Amino acid sequence: MSASSASRRIAATVLTAGALVSAVALPASAQDHDRHRPQPRVVISDVQANSPGRDNGSNRSLNGEWVELTNQSRRAVNLDGWTLRDADGNRYRFDDVRLAGRATVRVHTGIGRDTRTDLYQDRRDYVWDDYSDTATLRDNRGRTVDTESWGQYRGHHHRR
């Protein structure tokens, strides 16, 4: 057997071994892809901290301040146990709320009847500071999902 013939056999053996390793590794990488599928994303999409008109403490005025959440994924997200807080620690806990894919819900401060597009904290006092505050959304495990800041807190925006 000549040296060039031996070199060709070695090269063929190496290429065959490489092809086998690639074929075996392919299913593992496909499984890794499934494990790292994007999770549903719920974000604070808008805030109206300063209700329109005079802040006279009426229920209408209280409901004029709100935080809007949007599910950016196609899958519904169960918000049960999630919380929405301001910088002073006022907290609203979501109870039995399912946000459909690509849907938006407004969380109003005052009293009202919950619907799929509007939720009410049933408070009698304002929560969001007109000039400077931070809204923080946390999931049912306490992990920060999103924050939105305005005023002196502006620039402290975080998305997971």
Side-chain angles (χ1 to χ4, degrees), residues 80-105:
D80 190 38
W82 288 40
T83 60
L84 183 62
R85 289 181 189 250
D86 73 344
D88 292 330
N90 293 303
R91 180 182 75 137
Y92 171 73
R93 186 177 185 276
F94 294 85
D95 186 35
D96 197 29
V97 175
R98 190 164 178 82
L99 187 56
R102 307 276 187 230
T104 296
V105 65

Side-chain angles (χ1 to χ4, degrees), residues 126-147:
Y126 296 97
V127 171
W128 308 107
D129 189 297
D130 294 353
Y131 303 106
S132 181
D133 211 338
T134 298
T136 302
L137 179 66
R138 289 195 172 98
D139 67 15
N140 59 347
R141 293 183 178 152
R143 293 180 300 208
T144 299
V145 174
D146 195 15
T147 63

